[in-house]
Amino acid sequence: MVKTLGALKASGYQPKSIKEEIRQNLIQQLKAGKTSFPGIVGYEDSVIPETERALLSKHNILFLGLRGQAKTRMARQMIALLDEYIPVVEGSDLNDDPLNPVSKYAKDLIAEKGDATPITWLHRDQRYGEKLATPDVSVADLIGDIDPIKAANLKLSFDDERVLHYGIIPRSNRCIFVINELPDLQARIQVSLFNILEEGDIQIRGFKLRLPLDILFVFTANPEDYTNRGSIVTPLKDRIQSQILTHYPKTLEHALEITGQEAGIHKEQQETVAVSDLVKRLIEQVAFEARSSELVDKKSGVSARLTISAFENAVSTAERRALVNKEPTTQVWISDLSGIIPSITGKVELVYEGEQEGPFQVAMNLVDKAIRSQFIQYFPNPEQLNKKRNTGKPSAQSKADENPYKPIVNWFDKGNTLNIDYNTTDSGKVQQLYQVDGLYALVKKQFSGANELQAALLMEFVLFGLSSYSLISKRLFETKVEFKDLFGSILGAASAEAYDNLDFDEDA
């Protein structure tokens, strides 16, 4: 590998800016049909093409969107578009290009040693800088300041460039530099970025210094109107050439793919716990319900981290039950979704009405709505069955077809109650579910190929679904869930709580 300036010149090396470097590498990737941002799901037709256009235009970029929308991940993946190695003057704080030095140190070294100037090589993984904007960030942190101790030690006057201590931005010369949560940066600090973005140089305390930096800036921010913490000053926003709006997954399939990709499921859990597609969809639906809920602050957003954490908790809930019951394998049941509540309560910000309800109540309500939304994807819609009107006299068979839930509801109307303990064994739960008249017949008719455990899961899903449509009642206790007839529950001592479907009885 080349180690001196003379050898570098002989190799035919030509300096180029980082933006030109990224542009050329991106062009090669697009020609080869390669994905520029692998692992970023749901942005294929929106954010990724816009980002590629910005990079081809050699623009600085602002990713604008709510939390958990892969803004920082997009920036970090730009590292792959850099050359694997670039030459720098050895010992330079500013990653000086040997053929285009900008610092006094590099210029003096080249003037002294000429073609013998030592060269080192910087890997692309070292060419990424990131700073989280916080109110305590100073101009000295970002740009730099005069270092009186250095001046005293080196016996230099303050008009000598060598007394400067460079901040994180100059030290990111020839690199990608990211500032996360830009609105949190104080306005006076944002002003210090004007010259860097427009003229490409820096100013330190009026020092007579022009330092043309070569940096690709990427900023991330929440929409200005959505935060009271601060805003991006208009002249700075004007200097950022491309503003790209990010978004949450638009389809359940994209959401499923993201969670499956990001969830940290241990190998032991994968071997012990089976997770059906139904349960995965219910968990993803919780986030969709939260984003449309009147009780959740839409300005704050609902991160994809909610479903990732919820999925991990659901698996762990089933794993714990299997360990307690000494079962070698199990599956995630619908009742195990009680274990995802902690993943919801900490990741949604509530409006005033939601605060009045309480985070636990809101979380349970979101799970119930998710079950209600997904139920009609698997079974007939109870509301449409109730509204259906026949013009002719139906036969007994057609009546049965039109009311597939009637045997189940009738079983509960006779005073029967079903208590499903959260920690019961799989075989115990299967036996309990088969007690309900018409439940297995309904599931077998809709899903004839389901095995015993799959059928039992769908049977449990039917009970939760019917309760979400207020055909039967559901009461939640610390250790179990109770299903019974709706009318009897309304007339019972705890009628209001039972009908609400969200009662949490601490005495159980």
Side-chain angles (χ1 to χ4, degrees):
M1 186 175 283
V2 170
K3 293 187 177 181
T4 64
L5 178 59
L8 184 67
K9 291 177 180 177
S11 70
Y13 167 78
Q14 293 294 323
K16 56 185 174 183
S17 70
I18 183 172
K19 293 179 180 178
E20 182 62 31
E21 179 184 333
I22 288 176
R23 172 184 159 79
Q24 293 302 323
N25 290 332
L26 177 57
I27 288 173
Q28 294 303 315
Q29 288 217 10
L30 292 174
K31 285 182 176 179
K34 296 181 180 179
T35 302
S36 305
F37 296 90
I40 304 294
V41 179
Y43 283 177
E44 295 84 357
D45 299 319
S46 54
V47 177
I48 289 177
E50 290 178 356
T51 304
E52 290 173 342
R53 287 192 286 268
L55 294 175
L56 290 173
S57 299
K58 300 194 285 190
H59 285 177
N60 294 313
I61 296 171
L62 169 62
F63 287 119
L64 194 65
L66 299 175
R67 58 184 177 179
Q69 292 185 350
K71 300 186 292 294
T72 304
R73 176 169 293 195
M74 288 285 295
R76 289 176 179 172
Q77 289 207 358
M78 293 179 190
I79 296 172
L81 294 173
L82 297 170
D83 290 345
E84 187 173 6
Y85 287 96
I86 58 168
V88 299
V89 176
E90 189 174 58
S92 166
D93 288 337
L94 306 186
N95 302 321
D96 285 275
D97 188 317
L99 298 185
N100 188 25
V102 295
S103 71
K104 180 175 175 58
Y105 167 84
K107 291 176 181 177
D108 290 349
L109 186 63
I110 291 172
E112 177 188 345
K113 297 192 174 183
D115 285 350
T117 302
I119 302 300
T120 188
W121 293 82
L122 192 66
H123 192 263
R124 58 186 168 208
D125 288 344
Q126 299 174 281
R127 297 175 63 194
Y128 178 87
E130 188 174 302
K131 179 67 176 174
L132 175 63
T134 55
D136 63 334
V137 173
S138 66
V139 174
D141 294 333
L142 292 180
I143 310 300
D145 204 348
I146 294 173
D147 188 344
I149 296 177
K150 183 187 288 188
N153 289 339
L154 298 177
K155 297 180 180 180
L156 299 172
S157 65
F158 284 167
D159 64 351
D160 193 311
E161 185 178 331
R162 288 174 290 175
V163 305
L164 293 177
H165 174 77
Y166 294 112
I168 189 172
I169 290 180
R171 290 173 181 273
S172 297
N173 184 43
R174 303 175 75 198
C175 298
I176 299 169
F177 187 72
V178 179
I179 298 182
N180 284 316
E181 306 300 338
L182 183 59
D184 284 353
L185 207 62
Q186 294 184 39
R188 64 184 182 85
I189 311 300
Q190 293 184 36
V191 169
S192 68
L193 301 176
F194 287 1
N195 260 47
I196 299 176
L197 290 176
E198 189 67 24
E199 286 79 20
D201 59 19
I202 63 171
Q203 299 175 1
I204 299 177
R205 288 190 176 275
F207 205 92
K208 292 182 179 179
L209 171 71
R210 188 178 187 279
L211 199 64
L213 297 175
D214 179 24
I215 300 174
L216 170 64
F217 281 96
V218 180
F219 304 95
T220 74
N222 287 333
E224 287 184 66
D225 295 339
Y226 292 1
T227 175
N228 56 11
R229 299 170 299 181
S231 61
I232 305 173
V233 297
T234 304
L236 177 60
K237 191 162 61 173
D238 183 57
R239 286 168 165 81
I240 303 171
Q241 296 99 326
S242 286
Q243 176 177 287
I244 298 171
L245 301 179
T246 58
H247 57 80
Y248 288 121
K250 295 180 179 179
T251 68
L252 205 64
E253 282 66 30
H254 283 156
L256 286 166
E257 189 175 346
I258 292 170
T259 300
Q261 175 180 283
E262 301 299 324
I265 305 301
H266 295 280
K267 183 180 179 181
E268 295 88 345
Q269 292 177 315
Q270 293 174 359
E271 294 172 349
T272 303
V273 182
V275 188
S276 68
D277 184 66
L278 166 60
V279 169
K280 293 177 181 178
R281 289 177 178 273
L282 287 173
I283 292 173
E284 297 301 334
Q285 189 66 42
V286 170
F288 280 83
E289 297 296 337
R291 290 170 190 145
S292 61
S293 173
E294 295 179 353
L295 303 179
V296 176
D297 187 0
K298 294 178 178 60
K299 296 177 181 179
S300 173
V302 178
S303 168
R305 300 182 190 96
L306 183 152
T307 52
I308 295 168
S309 298
F311 183 77
E312 292 169 346
N313 260 344
V315 173
S316 296
T317 301
E319 180 187 32
R320 180 186 179 278
R321 174 170 39 74
L323 292 170
V324 169
N325 293 328
K326 296 180 172 54
E327 293 180 298
T329 59
T330 187
Q331 67 176 353
V332 179
W333 295 87
I334 307 300
S335 51
D336 288 328
L337 296 183
S338 61
I340 75 172
I341 300 304
S343 299
I344 303 172
T345 53
K347 290 182 171 57
V348 293
E349 292 188 26
L350 306 179
V351 296
Y352 176 76
E353 292 80 2
E355 294 290 352
Q356 293 296 104
E357 286 280 331
F360 176 81
Q361 291 288 93
V362 170
M364 293 300 301
N365 199 16
L366 291 174
V367 173
D368 200 54
K369 287 184 176 180
I371 291 172
R372 181 184 173 94
S373 296
Q374 283 296 309
F375 186 71
I376 57 177
Q377 305 298 322
Y378 293 81
F379 295 96
N381 188 334
E383 288 185 339
Q384 291 182 354
L385 292 173
N386 290 337
K387 293 177 181 178
K388 188 172 181 180
R389 295 291 184 266
N390 296 306
T391 55
K393 185 178 180 181
S395 65
Q397 181 60 41
S398 64
K399 283 184 178 180
D401 292 339
E402 292 168 11
N403 299 280
Y405 308 117
K406 188 173 182 180
I408 302 169
V409 175
N410 285 345
W411 187 83
F412 287 104
D413 286 343
K414 293 175 183 177
N416 293 307
T417 300
L418 183 67
N419 291 298
I420 298 178
D421 193 298
Y422 293 137
N423 286 325
T424 191
T425 62
D426 287 355
S427 58
K429 186 170 292 188
V430 170
Q431 290 176 8
Q432 286 181 295
L433 291 168
Y434 273 88
Q435 295 174 17
V436 182
D437 288 345
L439 192 54
Y440 176 74
L442 169 65
V443 168
K444 208 60 181 174
K445 180 178 179 182
Q446 298 291 130
F447 300 92
S448 58
N451 61 33
E452 184 182 57
L453 275 180
Q454 292 170 342
L457 175 66
L458 290 164
M459 290 162 70
E460 187 186 38
F461 182 44
V462 169
L463 296 179
F464 276 87
L466 294 182
S467 71
S468 71
Y469 279 92
S470 300
L471 294 180
I472 59 176
S473 78
K474 176 182 85 234
R475 293 183 67 191
L476 301 177
F477 298 84
E478 282 186 335
T479 59
K480 67 179 182 179
V481 56
E482 178 190 80
F483 295 99
K484 62 191 302 186
D485 70 297
L486 185 63
F487 186 68
S489 299
I490 295 174
L491 296 181
S495 60
E497 292 81 3
Y499 188 70
D500 189 49
N501 291 339
L502 295 173
D503 181 48
F504 192 75
D505 191 340
E506 296 182 355
D507 296 329

